[in-house]
Amino acid sequence: MLLHNSIIWLSSAAQQIVITLCKPDSIIAHENLASILLELDKTEQAFDTYLKAIGIDQSANNSSSQLYASTARFLNIANKDRINKGNLKKILNILLERNDINHQYLF
């Protein structure tokens, strides 16, 4: 059963990577890919993927509360020593300006 579940999870991960490649401007695809990368202990790549999603969101003048909340939760559990400090500062500033996320996740 564990092997079956692992295969299903890997298949889901592969599908998400393909979706992200096919829809490079999809915020949801990038957000889902970031979650998968975090599960694989790829903290830096997950963070970069969240940054990409936020960049897409900002350039489209969207305001995806879910994306920013997911990013805040990611920062709460991620090993921040493995994240580029300049980019970390940038994203913290963006998140602190928002009123629709729990700022306690950031510290």
Side-chain angles (χ1 to χ4, degrees):
M1 186 65 163
L2 180 62
L3 178 60
H4 177 71
N5 289 342
S6 295
I7 290 170
I8 290 172
W9 189 88
L10 286 173
S11 174
S12 175
Q15 288 174 350
Q16 195 56 54
I17 291 168
V18 170
I19 290 169
T20 305
L21 292 172
C22 293
K23 295 184 175 184
D25 292 334
S26 170
I27 295 166
I28 294 171
H30 281 85
E31 184 179 358
N32 291 339
L33 179 58
S35 295
I36 290 168
L37 290 166
L38 181 61
E39 287 287 324
L40 295 172
D41 197 32
K42 303 287 185 186
T43 304
E44 292 173 71
Q45 293 92 335
F47 182 74
D48 291 344
T49 304
Y50 275 116
L51 278 178
K52 175 72 173 168
I54 288 172
I56 294 166
D57 185 70
Q58 290 179 329
S59 66
N61 291 322
N62 284 341
S63 185
S64 174
S65 297
Q66 174 63 35
L67 169 62
Y68 294 93
S70 295
T71 305
R73 284 190 299 274
F74 162 79
L75 289 174
N76 183 258
I77 61 174
N79 179 352
K80 291 169 198 66
D81 292 333
R82 296 171 62 189
I83 298 174
N84 175 286
K85 300 304 179 219
N87 287 338
L88 180 59
K89 182 178 177 182
K90 175 183 172 183
I91 199 68
L92 284 172
N93 285 329
I94 291 169
L95 294 173
L96 286 169
E97 290 176 4
R98 298 188 62 90
N99 295 322
D100 58 350
I101 63 164
N102 185 346
H103 292 129
Q104 290 178 333
Y105 284 133
L106 304 177
F107 303 101

XYZ file of all heavy atoms in Angstrom:
849
model
N 0.827 -1.191 0.000
C 0.000 0.000 0.000
C 0.872 1.255 0.000
O 0.572 2.208 -0.693
C -0.927 -0.043 1.211
C -1.925 1.064 1.235
S -3.053 0.908 -0.143
C -4.342 1.941 0.379
N 1.952 1.235 0.802
C 2.846 2.389 0.863
C 3.476 2.658 -0.497
O 3.561 3.806 -0.935
C 3.922 2.172 1.924
C 4.923 3.301 2.108
C 4.199 4.573 2.560
C 5.967 2.926 3.118
N 3.918 1.598 -1.180
C 4.505 1.756 -2.506
C 3.484 2.330 -3.472
O 3.785 3.242 -4.254
C 5.041 0.416 -3.028
C 5.651 0.434 -4.427
C 6.829 1.400 -4.477
C 6.085 -0.947 -4.833
N 2.270 1.832 -3.408
C 1.197 2.333 -4.273
C 0.962 3.824 -4.033
O 0.863 4.605 -4.979
C -0.090 1.535 -4.033
C -1.255 2.018 -4.829
N -1.350 1.847 -6.192
C -2.366 2.704 -4.456
C -2.472 2.391 -6.627
N -3.111 2.918 -5.585
N 0.893 4.220 -2.773
C 0.690 5.627 -2.441
C 1.863 6.480 -2.908
O 1.682 7.605 -3.358
C 0.481 5.810 -0.941
C -0.863 5.285 -0.486
O -1.761 5.082 -1.294
N -0.993 5.056 0.802
N 3.091 5.947 -2.802
C 4.274 6.679 -3.255
C 4.246 6.880 -4.764
O 4.597 7.946 -5.264
C 5.548 5.927 -2.864
O 5.669 5.876 -1.471
N 3.815 5.854 -5.479
C 3.730 5.951 -6.946
C 2.686 6.988 -7.337
O 2.911 7.808 -8.232
C 3.435 4.572 -7.571
C 4.659 3.676 -7.414
C 3.052 4.710 -9.046
C 4.425 2.231 -7.772
N 1.542 6.959 -6.656
C 0.503 7.943 -6.943
C 1.020 9.353 -6.664
O 0.818 10.273 -7.453
C -0.773 7.653 -6.117
C -1.436 6.379 -6.636
C -1.744 8.828 -6.163
C -2.579 5.888 -5.780
N 1.737 9.533 -5.532
C 2.265 10.850 -5.177
C 3.276 11.315 -6.225
O 3.243 12.463 -6.660
C 2.905 10.816 -3.790
C 3.264 12.181 -3.308
C 2.468 13.039 -2.622
C 4.512 12.856 -3.499
N 3.137 14.223 -2.373
C 4.390 14.129 -2.896
C 5.711 12.527 -4.113
C 5.412 15.055 -2.891
C 6.730 13.451 -4.101
C 6.584 14.694 -3.496
N 4.183 10.421 -6.640
C 5.176 10.790 -7.656
C 4.507 11.125 -8.979
O 4.923 12.049 -9.674
C 6.204 9.672 -7.831
C 7.224 9.538 -6.709
C 8.079 8.289 -6.920
C 8.094 10.768 -6.613
N 3.461 10.390 -9.320
C 2.724 10.668 -10.540
C 2.086 12.050 -10.461
O 2.118 12.819 -11.408
C 1.650 9.604 -10.764
O 0.852 9.933 -11.864
N 1.536 12.369 -9.310
C 0.937 13.687 -9.102
C 1.992 14.780 -9.213
O 1.758 15.829 -9.814
C 0.258 13.734 -7.733
O -0.219 15.015 -7.458
N 3.158 14.543 -8.636
C 4.257 15.511 -8.709
C 4.677 15.733 -10.158
O 4.882 16.867 -10.597
C 5.438 15.038 -7.863
N 4.809 14.649 -10.911
C 5.213 14.751 -12.316
C 4.158 15.521 -13.115
O 4.499 16.360 -13.953
C 5.423 13.361 -12.906
N 2.887 15.240 -12.843
C 1.816 15.962 -13.534
C 1.894 17.457 -13.239
O 1.715 18.279 -14.131
C 0.455 15.424 -13.114
C 0.136 14.064 -13.659
C -1.174 13.525 -13.096
O -1.745 14.081 -12.169
N -1.639 12.432 -13.669
N 2.168 17.807 -11.991
C 2.227 19.218 -11.619
C 3.389 19.916 -12.301
O 3.278 21.068 -12.718
C 2.321 19.377 -10.104
C 2.040 20.767 -9.640
C 0.685 21.273 -10.108
O -0.330 20.648 -9.898
N 0.674 22.409 -10.775
N 4.515 19.230 -12.431
C 5.665 19.807 -13.132
C 5.314 20.066 -14.591
O 5.607 21.133 -15.131
C 6.903 18.892 -12.994
C 7.381 18.911 -11.536
C 8.003 19.316 -13.953
C 8.391 17.843 -11.210
N 4.650 19.119 -15.228
C 4.250 19.288 -16.627
C 3.264 20.445 -16.767
O 3.394 21.276 -17.667
C 3.648 17.972 -17.187
C 2.998 18.197 -18.545
C 4.719 16.903 -17.286
N 2.297 20.531 -15.847
C 1.329 21.627 -15.897
C 2.039 22.967 -15.767
O 1.742 23.920 -16.488
C 0.255 21.466 -14.794
C -0.646 20.275 -15.127
C -0.569 22.738 -14.639
C -1.555 19.864 -13.984
N 3.004 23.042 -14.859
C 3.750 24.292 -14.659
C 4.524 24.668 -15.922
O 4.579 25.835 -16.300
C 4.699 24.174 -13.455
O 3.941 23.776 -12.315
C 5.391 25.490 -13.157
N 5.097 23.673 -16.569
C 5.834 23.946 -17.803
C 4.903 24.373 -18.931
O 5.254 25.240 -19.738
C 6.634 22.709 -18.225
C 7.801 22.338 -17.315
C 8.395 20.999 -17.731
C 8.869 23.421 -17.332
N 3.718 23.773 -18.990
C 2.753 24.102 -20.044
C 2.030 25.412 -19.788
O 1.568 26.060 -20.721
C 1.728 22.976 -20.187
S 2.435 21.453 -20.817
N 1.895 25.764 -18.527
C 1.210 27.005 -18.153
C 2.141 27.839 -17.279
O 1.935 27.961 -16.075
C -0.077 26.695 -17.396
C -1.119 25.977 -18.208
C -2.380 25.797 -17.399
C -3.474 25.201 -18.239
N -4.724 25.121 -17.474
N 3.165 28.419 -17.881
C 4.164 29.145 -17.074
C 3.616 30.369 -16.347
O 4.255 30.867 -15.434
C 5.225 29.538 -18.101
C 4.538 29.501 -19.418
C 3.471 28.457 -19.301
N 2.423 30.838 -16.727
C 1.834 31.992 -16.044
C 0.744 31.590 -15.057
O -0.008 32.442 -14.581
C 1.261 32.980 -17.066
C 2.358 33.637 -17.890
O 3.497 33.729 -17.390
O 2.084 34.054 -19.024
N 0.663 30.307 -14.738
C -0.354 29.828 -13.810
C 0.135 29.944 -12.366
O 1.074 29.266 -11.953
C -0.716 28.371 -14.109
O -1.530 27.851 -13.084
N -0.524 30.790 -11.608
C -0.186 30.968 -10.194
C -0.418 29.678 -9.431
O 0.424 29.239 -8.641
C -1.011 32.120 -9.592
C -0.624 33.435 -10.259
C -0.833 32.191 -8.082
C -1.592 34.563 -9.997
N -1.551 29.036 -9.686
C -1.902 27.803 -8.971
C -0.898 26.695 -9.263
O -0.485 25.971 -8.356
C -3.334 27.364 -9.324
C -4.332 28.391 -8.806
C -3.654 25.983 -8.768
C -5.757 28.195 -9.280
N -0.484 26.577 -10.517
C 0.491 25.543 -10.871
C 1.804 25.766 -10.127
O 2.402 24.820 -9.603
C 0.732 25.530 -12.378
N 2.256 27.009 -10.052
C 3.499 27.307 -9.334
C 3.343 27.071 -7.833
O 4.250 26.548 -7.181
C 3.948 28.744 -9.616
C 4.621 28.885 -10.941
N 3.917 29.072 -12.102
C 5.917 28.841 -11.289
C 4.756 29.149 -13.108
N 5.986 29.009 -12.642
N 2.197 27.449 -7.297
C 1.947 27.232 -5.869
C 1.952 25.733 -5.535
O 2.562 25.302 -4.555
C 0.613 27.863 -5.487
C 0.299 27.789 -4.027
C -1.019 28.457 -3.685
O -1.691 29.027 -4.571
O -1.386 28.393 -2.508
N 1.302 24.945 -6.387
C 1.288 23.490 -6.171
C 2.679 22.884 -6.323
O 3.073 22.005 -5.543
C 0.306 22.817 -7.130
C -1.129 23.147 -6.817
O -1.460 23.550 -5.709
N -2.001 22.996 -7.796
N 3.428 23.341 -7.304
C 4.789 22.852 -7.500
C 5.654 23.194 -6.292
O 6.453 22.376 -5.837
C 5.394 23.426 -8.782
C 6.827 23.003 -9.087
C 6.948 21.483 -9.190
C 7.305 23.670 -10.370
N 5.497 24.390 -5.746
C 6.261 24.780 -4.555
C 5.963 23.838 -3.392
O 6.875 23.435 -2.666
C 5.949 26.221 -4.172
N 4.713 23.469 -3.228
C 4.343 22.529 -2.160
C 5.011 21.177 -2.363
O 5.498 20.559 -1.409
C 2.824 22.349 -2.112
O 2.204 23.544 -1.757
N 5.049 20.724 -3.589
C 5.693 19.442 -3.897
C 7.194 19.527 -3.621
O 7.782 18.623 -3.023
C 5.421 19.044 -5.361
C 3.943 18.659 -5.524
C 6.333 17.903 -5.804
C 3.494 18.535 -6.962
N 7.814 20.609 -4.039
C 9.254 20.775 -3.806
C 9.569 20.803 -2.316
O 10.576 20.235 -1.878
C 9.760 22.042 -4.490
C 9.781 21.982 -6.017
C 9.973 23.377 -6.609
C 10.866 21.027 -6.494
N 8.716 21.428 -1.540
C 8.918 21.441 -0.087
C 8.824 20.024 0.471
O 9.637 19.633 1.302
C 7.901 22.359 0.590
C 8.036 22.469 2.110
C 9.399 23.036 2.497
C 6.927 23.332 2.683
N 7.856 19.252 -0.006
C 7.720 17.856 0.426
C 8.981 17.049 0.101
O 9.336 16.131 0.828
C 6.513 17.196 -0.240
C 5.189 17.650 0.302
C 4.913 17.074 1.684
O 5.279 15.926 1.945
O 4.326 17.798 2.495
N 9.642 17.409 -0.995
C 10.868 16.722 -1.417
C 12.112 17.307 -0.745
O 13.222 16.944 -1.098
C 11.019 16.805 -2.938
C 9.958 16.075 -3.745
C 10.105 16.395 -5.229
C 10.049 14.566 -3.507
N 11.913 18.215 0.213
C 12.996 18.877 0.946
C 13.874 19.725 0.020
O 15.081 19.832 0.211
C 13.836 17.859 1.722
C 14.679 18.530 2.798
O 14.237 19.559 3.349
O 15.790 18.034 3.071
N 13.248 20.322 -0.959
C 13.929 21.233 -1.893
C 13.518 22.664 -1.538
O 12.822 23.342 -2.274
C 13.548 20.905 -3.340
C 13.830 19.491 -3.771
C 15.295 19.282 -3.946
C 15.580 17.894 -4.507
N 16.985 17.615 -4.556
N 13.964 23.100 -0.359
C 13.520 24.373 0.207
C 13.824 25.553 -0.709
O 12.956 26.401 -0.938
C 14.171 24.589 1.586
O 13.867 23.473 2.415
C 13.683 25.860 2.235
N 15.034 25.626 -1.222
C 15.411 26.762 -2.072
C 14.563 26.816 -3.335
O 14.080 27.885 -3.721
C 16.884 26.681 -2.451
C 17.831 26.884 -1.288
C 19.263 26.633 -1.685
O 19.810 27.466 -2.428
O 19.817 25.614 -1.254
N 14.380 25.649 -3.965
C 13.579 25.609 -5.181
C 12.117 25.928 -4.885
O 11.456 26.611 -5.674
C 13.689 24.237 -5.863
C 15.063 23.949 -6.414
C 15.958 23.213 -5.416
O 15.782 23.294 -4.205
N 16.936 22.483 -5.933
N 11.614 25.464 -3.744
C 10.232 25.778 -3.359
C 10.069 27.280 -3.167
O 9.111 27.882 -3.658
C 9.856 25.019 -2.088
N 11.020 27.877 -2.472
C 10.957 29.325 -2.230
C 10.996 30.085 -3.554
O 10.209 31.011 -3.769
C 12.102 29.756 -1.317
C 12.082 31.216 -0.994
C 11.148 31.733 -0.109
C 12.984 32.087 -1.578
C 11.120 33.093 0.191
C 12.959 33.447 -1.292
C 12.029 33.942 -0.404
N 11.904 29.704 -4.445
C 12.002 30.364 -5.747
C 10.701 30.226 -6.537
O 10.302 31.146 -7.253
C 13.174 29.802 -6.552
C 14.526 30.176 -5.970
O 14.598 31.110 -5.138
O 15.524 29.514 -6.340
N 10.043 29.086 -6.386
C 8.779 28.859 -7.086
C 7.671 29.728 -6.502
O 6.849 30.278 -7.240
C 8.405 27.363 -7.042
O 9.492 26.595 -7.589
C 7.160 27.079 -7.850
N 7.649 29.882 -5.169
C 6.703 30.826 -4.563
C 6.978 32.244 -5.056
O 6.046 32.992 -5.361
C 6.772 30.783 -3.033
C 5.916 29.716 -2.415
C 6.484 28.678 -1.697
C 4.528 29.755 -2.527
C 5.696 27.699 -1.115
C 3.734 28.779 -1.948
C 4.321 27.758 -1.240
O 3.537 26.793 -0.672
N 8.238 32.626 -5.142
C 8.583 33.960 -5.659
C 8.074 34.149 -7.079
O 7.551 35.213 -7.426
C 10.095 34.172 -5.632
C 10.734 34.604 -4.331
C 12.248 34.724 -4.493
C 10.163 35.928 -3.853
N 8.233 33.120 -7.891
C 7.750 33.178 -9.279
C 6.238 33.376 -9.295
O 5.719 34.215 -10.038
C 8.149 31.898 -10.017
C 7.608 31.776 -11.412
C 8.277 32.707 -12.371
C 7.796 32.388 -13.792
N 8.165 33.387 -14.739
N 5.514 32.622 -8.456
C 4.055 32.744 -8.401
C 3.642 34.146 -7.962
O 2.717 34.734 -8.527
C 3.474 31.695 -7.460
N 4.337 34.691 -6.971
C 4.017 36.040 -6.500
C 4.330 37.072 -7.578
O 3.582 38.027 -7.771
C 4.751 36.338 -5.172
C 4.097 35.516 -4.051
C 4.750 37.825 -4.848
C 4.821 35.543 -2.735
N 5.429 36.873 -8.306
C 5.741 37.766 -9.423
C 4.654 37.744 -10.485
O 4.261 38.794 -11.010
N 4.136 36.564 -10.799
C 3.041 36.445 -11.770
C 1.806 37.158 -11.229
O 1.143 37.909 -11.941
C 2.729 34.960 -12.056
C 3.899 34.290 -12.765
C 1.445 34.821 -12.879
C 3.820 32.769 -12.795
N 1.525 36.928 -9.956
C 0.354 37.538 -9.324
C 0.438 39.062 -9.365
O -0.525 39.735 -9.714
C 0.240 37.052 -7.872
C -1.007 37.544 -7.182
O -2.105 37.070 -7.548
O -0.891 38.396 -6.288
N 1.590 39.592 -9.033
C 1.754 41.055 -9.007
C 1.709 41.655 -10.407
O 1.133 42.719 -10.607
C 3.053 41.427 -8.304
C 2.994 41.160 -6.820
C 4.290 41.513 -6.107
O 5.374 41.423 -6.677
N 4.164 41.921 -4.860
N 2.305 40.987 -11.392
C 2.305 41.542 -12.745
C 0.917 41.466 -13.380
O 0.603 42.242 -14.271
C 3.345 40.856 -13.625
O 3.021 39.510 -13.833
N 0.082 40.545 -12.895
C -1.293 40.438 -13.403
C -2.256 41.287 -12.586
O -3.456 41.258 -12.818
C -1.732 38.979 -13.383
N -1.711 42.025 -11.617
C -2.528 42.845 -10.718
C -3.611 42.032 -10.021
O -4.720 42.496 -9.815
C -3.140 44.044 -11.460
C -2.089 45.048 -11.851
O -1.154 45.306 -11.103
N -2.227 45.617 -13.033
N -3.262 40.795 -9.692
C -4.164 39.947 -8.916
C -3.903 40.185 -7.442
O -2.989 40.896 -7.065
C -3.906 38.466 -9.219
C -4.478 38.042 -10.549
O -5.340 38.688 -11.103
N -3.980 36.936 -11.057
N -4.683 39.547 -6.644
C -4.436 39.564 -5.208
C -4.903 38.232 -4.646
O -5.936 38.139 -3.997
C -5.163 40.724 -4.541
O -4.789 40.765 -3.178
N -4.137 37.204 -4.940
C -4.493 35.848 -4.538
C -4.156 35.628 -3.063
O -3.028 35.312 -2.718
C -3.750 34.832 -5.413
O -3.974 33.526 -4.941
N -5.139 35.819 -2.205
C -4.927 35.646 -0.763
C -4.386 34.268 -0.440
O -3.531 34.116 0.430
C -6.228 35.873 -0.005
O -6.671 37.178 -0.177
N -4.879 33.264 -1.158
C -4.440 31.879 -0.917
C -2.940 31.743 -1.156
O -2.233 31.116 -0.380
C -5.220 30.917 -1.816
C -4.747 29.477 -1.747
C -4.928 28.863 -0.372
O -5.891 29.168 0.326
N -4.004 28.003 0.030
N -2.445 32.332 -2.218
C -1.018 32.268 -2.537
C -0.184 32.874 -1.420
O 0.803 32.290 -0.972
C -0.732 32.984 -3.853
C 0.743 33.225 -4.187
C 1.487 31.906 -4.334
C 0.853 34.067 -5.447
N -0.566 34.034 -0.949
C 0.217 34.711 0.078
C 0.130 33.974 1.418
O 1.113 33.887 2.144
C -0.208 36.172 0.187
C 0.128 36.935 -1.074
C -0.801 37.082 -2.093
C 1.403 37.458 -1.263
C -0.475 37.745 -3.267
C 1.735 38.119 -2.423
C 0.791 38.262 -3.429
O 1.125 38.918 -4.592
N -1.031 33.405 1.712
C -1.178 32.617 2.934
C -0.323 31.353 2.855
O 0.336 30.973 3.832
C -2.641 32.260 3.167
N -0.298 30.710 1.693
C 0.541 29.517 1.502
C 2.018 29.859 1.646
O 2.787 29.104 2.235
C 0.304 28.906 0.120
O -0.993 28.427 -0.005
N 2.405 30.994 1.102
C 3.798 31.431 1.207
C 4.166 31.697 2.661
O 5.251 31.303 3.115
C 4.035 32.687 0.351
O 3.625 32.433 -0.996
C 5.491 33.091 0.354
N 3.272 32.302 3.403
C 3.528 32.568 4.827
C 3.653 31.253 5.602
O 4.552 31.107 6.438
C 2.415 33.429 5.417
N 2.779 30.291 5.315
C 2.876 28.976 5.988
C 4.183 28.281 5.628
O 4.832 27.667 6.463
C 1.674 28.103 5.631
C 0.405 28.505 6.356
C -0.701 27.486 6.181
N -1.101 27.308 4.796
C -1.997 28.061 4.171
N -2.583 29.062 4.806
N -2.297 27.826 2.913
N 4.589 28.395 4.362
C 5.859 27.826 3.922
C 7.017 28.407 4.738
O 7.871 27.672 5.228
C 6.074 28.100 2.425
C 7.493 27.941 1.974
C 8.021 26.685 1.744
C 8.322 29.044 1.806
C 9.341 26.528 1.337
C 9.634 28.900 1.411
C 10.143 27.636 1.166
N 7.020 29.731 4.886
C 8.095 30.375 5.637
C 8.099 29.947 7.097
O 9.152 29.889 7.733
C 7.984 31.893 5.529
C 8.327 32.467 4.161
C 8.042 33.956 4.121
C 9.764 32.180 3.793
N 6.936 29.618 7.614
C 6.829 29.186 8.996
C 7.515 27.840 9.224
O 8.119 27.624 10.266
C 5.356 29.107 9.410
C 5.190 28.742 10.857
O 4.893 27.594 11.175
N 5.386 29.705 11.727
N 7.464 26.952 8.234
C 8.017 25.604 8.427
C 9.361 25.387 7.730
O 10.068 24.445 8.058
C 7.019 24.516 7.972
C 6.697 24.643 6.491
C 5.763 24.574 8.808
C 5.840 23.515 5.952
N 9.711 26.264 6.811
C 10.941 26.076 6.031
C 12.181 26.431 6.846
O 12.137 27.260 7.748
C 10.895 26.934 4.773
N 13.283 25.796 6.489
C 14.581 26.124 7.072
C 15.082 27.392 6.373
O 15.554 27.346 5.246
C 15.547 24.962 6.865
C 16.916 25.237 7.426
O 17.222 26.352 7.843
N 17.753 24.227 7.444
N 14.961 28.514 7.047
C 15.285 29.805 6.432
C 16.776 29.970 6.143
O 17.163 30.825 5.350
C 14.756 30.942 7.293
C 13.230 30.989 7.287
C 12.706 31.925 8.336
C 11.260 31.677 8.663
N 10.978 30.389 9.289
N 17.611 29.134 6.748
C 19.044 29.181 6.462
C 19.343 28.748 5.036
O 20.410 29.028 4.511
C 19.826 28.295 7.437
C 19.809 28.840 8.851
O 19.668 30.071 9.011
O 19.927 28.032 9.791
N 18.387 28.062 4.408
C 18.582 27.549 3.054
C 17.951 28.461 2.003
O 17.850 28.094 0.845
C 18.009 26.146 2.962
C 18.758 25.186 3.880
C 18.109 23.848 4.008
N 18.046 23.159 2.742
C 17.363 22.033 2.559
N 16.705 21.496 3.559
N 17.339 21.452 1.395
N 17.533 29.663 2.426
C 16.864 30.607 1.519
C 17.746 31.835 1.352
O 18.312 32.342 2.318
C 15.479 31.006 2.091
C 14.570 29.779 2.200
C 14.833 32.077 1.239
C 13.250 30.049 2.889
N 17.830 32.321 0.123
C 18.584 33.540 -0.177
C 18.056 34.687 0.671
O 16.859 34.995 0.649
C 18.441 33.854 -1.670
C 19.082 35.156 -2.051
O 18.554 36.228 -1.735
N 20.209 35.082 -2.727
N 18.937 35.313 1.447
C 18.527 36.350 2.412
C 17.920 37.578 1.733
O 16.978 38.169 2.257
C 19.712 36.776 3.293
C 20.319 35.650 4.102
C 19.293 34.941 4.977
C 19.933 33.824 5.750
N 19.134 32.636 5.882
N 18.448 37.967 0.596
C 17.884 39.114 -0.117
C 16.458 38.850 -0.563
O 15.576 39.701 -0.419
N 16.234 37.658 -1.119
C 14.881 37.294 -1.548
C 13.955 37.103 -0.354
O 12.772 37.420 -0.431
C 14.906 36.031 -2.404
C 15.459 36.288 -3.780
O 15.461 37.411 -4.261
N 15.953 35.246 -4.423
N 14.496 36.587 0.741
C 13.690 36.411 1.950
C 13.204 37.771 2.459
O 12.026 37.935 2.792
C 14.497 35.680 3.027
C 13.789 35.431 4.350
C 12.520 34.609 4.152
C 14.741 34.728 5.322
N 14.097 38.737 2.482
C 13.724 40.087 2.926
C 12.649 40.670 2.008
O 11.667 41.264 2.479
C 14.959 40.989 2.941
C 14.680 42.385 3.421
C 15.942 43.219 3.455
C 15.623 44.645 3.868
N 16.807 45.490 3.875
N 12.816 40.460 0.717
C 11.857 40.967 -0.267
C 10.463 40.381 -0.011
O 9.475 41.112 0.046
C 12.332 40.619 -1.677
C 11.384 40.980 -2.778
C 11.934 40.526 -4.117
C 10.919 40.689 -5.220
N 11.413 40.193 -6.506
N 10.389 39.068 0.172
C 9.094 38.426 0.348
C 8.483 38.775 1.702
O 7.264 38.940 1.822
C 9.183 36.894 0.132
C 7.799 36.310 -0.139
C 9.781 36.186 1.308
C 7.208 36.715 -1.424
N 9.310 38.905 2.728
C 8.785 39.308 4.037
C 8.156 40.697 3.962
O 7.090 40.933 4.543
C 9.881 39.276 5.101
C 10.278 37.897 5.595
C 11.509 37.981 6.493
C 9.127 37.210 6.319
N 8.787 41.613 3.250
C 8.222 42.951 3.089
C 6.872 42.905 2.374
O 5.927 43.595 2.771
C 9.184 43.877 2.353
C 10.333 44.320 3.223
O 10.191 44.443 4.437
N 11.482 44.542 2.620
N 6.787 42.088 1.342
C 5.520 41.942 0.605
C 4.439 41.381 1.528
O 3.316 41.894 1.584
C 5.705 41.033 -0.627
C 6.571 41.736 -1.681
C 4.349 40.635 -1.220
C 7.024 40.839 -2.811
N 4.791 40.345 2.278
C 3.808 39.695 3.149
C 3.378 40.590 4.308
O 2.216 40.583 4.708
C 4.359 38.367 3.666
C 4.567 37.287 2.603
C 5.286 36.084 3.206
C 3.257 36.872 1.966
N 4.311 41.359 4.848
C 3.977 42.238 5.968
C 3.043 43.377 5.561
O 2.313 43.916 6.395
C 5.250 42.800 6.613
C 6.032 41.797 7.451
C 7.393 42.365 7.825
C 5.246 41.392 8.695
N 3.041 43.724 4.285
C 2.146 44.774 3.796
C 0.705 44.284 3.636
O -0.211 45.092 3.516
C 2.647 45.311 2.453
C 3.929 46.107 2.572
C 4.460 46.559 1.229
O 3.794 46.322 0.187
O 5.549 47.153 1.205
N 0.519 42.969 3.651
C -0.821 42.407 3.427
C -1.572 42.272 4.747
O -0.999 41.900 5.760
C -0.702 41.061 2.725
C -0.050 41.196 1.341
C -0.121 39.920 0.586
N -1.472 39.508 0.321
C -2.173 39.849 -0.764
N -1.643 40.634 -1.661
N -3.396 39.400 -0.939
N -2.859 42.550 4.696
C -3.710 42.421 5.874
C -4.521 41.131 5.870
O -5.271 40.879 6.803
C -4.677 43.613 5.961
C -3.941 44.908 6.181
O -2.953 44.945 6.914
N -4.397 45.974 5.545
N -4.384 40.327 4.811
C -5.215 39.138 4.686
C -4.474 37.834 5.018
O -4.931 36.756 4.664
C -5.816 39.057 3.284
C -4.760 39.044 2.187
O -3.567 39.282 2.495
O -5.118 38.804 1.023
N -3.325 37.944 5.675
C -2.603 36.739 6.102
C -2.262 36.847 7.576
O -2.234 37.936 8.142
C -1.305 36.507 5.284
C -0.317 37.653 5.500
C -1.594 36.300 3.823
C 1.076 37.322 5.060
N -1.987 35.717 8.170
C -1.602 35.665 9.578
C -0.103 35.965 9.673
O 0.723 35.135 9.299
C -1.929 34.293 10.155
C -1.671 34.206 11.634
O -1.009 35.054 12.222
N -2.198 33.164 12.244
N 0.250 37.121 10.164
C 1.658 37.519 10.242
C 2.442 36.700 11.266
O 3.672 36.689 11.229
C 1.777 39.015 10.534
C 1.304 39.862 9.405
N 0.403 40.874 9.579
C 1.576 39.828 8.075
C 0.153 41.440 8.412
N 0.859 40.824 7.482
N 1.762 36.000 12.146
C 2.455 35.147 13.116
C 3.220 34.022 12.416
O 4.203 33.532 12.948
C 1.471 34.554 14.113
C 0.904 35.591 15.057
C -0.103 34.985 16.013
O -0.731 33.991 15.715
N -0.227 35.596 17.171
N 2.763 33.624 11.235
C 3.473 32.594 10.476
C 4.880 33.035 10.075
O 5.742 32.230 9.794
C 2.717 32.227 9.189
C 1.517 31.359 9.383
C 0.318 31.676 8.766
C 1.572 30.188 10.142
C -0.795 30.877 8.916
C 0.470 29.392 10.296
C -0.710 29.736 9.675
O -1.805 28.950 9.810
N 5.095 34.338 10.021
C 6.363 34.851 9.503
C 7.488 34.845 10.517
O 8.648 34.984 10.160
C 6.158 36.282 8.981
C 5.067 36.437 7.914
C 4.925 37.903 7.548
C 5.357 35.578 6.717
N 7.155 34.684 11.797
C 8.183 34.776 12.830
C 8.141 33.594 13.764
O 7.235 32.884 13.904
C 8.025 36.070 13.618
C 8.074 37.274 12.738
C 6.910 37.924 12.359
C 9.270 37.750 12.249
C 6.949 39.038 11.541
C 9.330 38.859 11.422
C 8.150 39.502 11.063
